Amino acid sequence: MSSVMSPAITAATTRRILAQLRHDHRTLGLLVGVPSLLMILLRYVFDTGALFDRIGPMLLGLFPFVIMFVVASVGTLRERTGGTLERLMTTPTGKLDFLLGYAFAFGLLSLVQVGVVLVISLTWLGLDLAGSVASLVLVAVLDALLGMALGLFASAFARTEFQAVQFMPAFVLPQVLLCGLLIPRDSMAPWLRVISDVLPLSYAVDAMQRVSREASFSTSLLWDVLVIAGFTLGALALGAATLRRRTG
């Protein structure tokens, strides 16, 4: 597989992935329907607008991350085990074409996902957001791309779709526990805080917290965005290093 990128091939890869997902109604339901349903349930579980206003934005960053990890890990594994990736290696398709094709496809899907959930949250559920909607969408899409990149990397170590899903606790659950969603990071034991500081989801949740309470795009929010983007690029680089691996 070539390492040179071609915009035409990248666009064709993006269209191929979107076409596959368009005919996979269960995946589309997982991408759009499940986050919306969970936000609705959580709004009425909390039963107070103030608590939902505090937790809601963080969940808008968490849901795309988790769901894109699952979809990307399973989807990429199908590419590997079905022989699609092996056939692509014999064509002019480069690693960057494959990776960017996935990134663009899932980036577009995450925009739809976040847009639907955000409209429901801001209208029906009455979510009160201090920051701009654009900032929230930016962070949520970056979270989705981070989940996609980690899912692509994790797929290299699975032989079946069931194994790919099993990797979610290893890659996702520790980050959920330590990202500040359940307990403020400042209240954690020092050694847990050190671990939390090197987990990308911590910065995603921190960014969403800032969007929920700060009207301006602060320097701290910019730092969170840059860290998330850096982790995403790093995960894509690790994913690129595994593209020649066969899962047979």
Side-chain angles (χ1 to χ4, degrees), residues 65 69 150-151 153-154 157 166-176:
F65 173 83
F69 177 91
L150 288 175
F153 173 60
F157 305 98
Q166 285 180 314
F167 275 109
M168 190 178 75
F171 280 83
V172 176
L173 189 55
Q175 298 195 62
V176 173

Side-chain angles (χ1 to χ4, degrees), residues 86-107:
E86 187 176 359
R87 290 192 296 272
L88 286 174
M89 291 180 185
T90 64
T91 71
T93 301
K95 288 184 178 181
L96 284 177
D97 296 317
F98 184 84
L99 293 172
L100 292 179
Y102 258 83
F104 289 145
F106 281 97

Side-chain angles (χ1 to χ4, degrees), residues 41-66:
L41 289 175
L42 287 169
R43 170 62 182 87
Y44 291 102
V45 166
F46 292 145
D47 199 35
T48 60
L51 184 57
F52 182 69
D53 289 341
R54 182 172 66 86
I55 300 295
M58 290 188 285
L59 295 178
L60 282 169
L62 177 63
F63 289 158
F65 173 83
V66 174

Side-chain angles (χ1 to χ4, degrees), residues 1-7 9-10 13 84-101 239-244:
M1 182 178 282
S2 170
S3 59
V4 179
M5 189 199 84
S6 166
I9 296 177
T10 299
T13 303
T84 302
L85 185 56
E86 187 176 359
R87 290 192 296 272
L88 286 174
M89 291 180 185
T90 64
T91 71
T93 301
K95 288 184 178 181
L96 284 177
D97 296 317
F98 184 84
L99 293 172
L100 292 179
T242 68
L243 285 182
R244 288 189 177 277

Side-chain angles (χ1 to χ4, degrees), residues 17 177 196:
I17 296 168
L177 294 175
S196 176

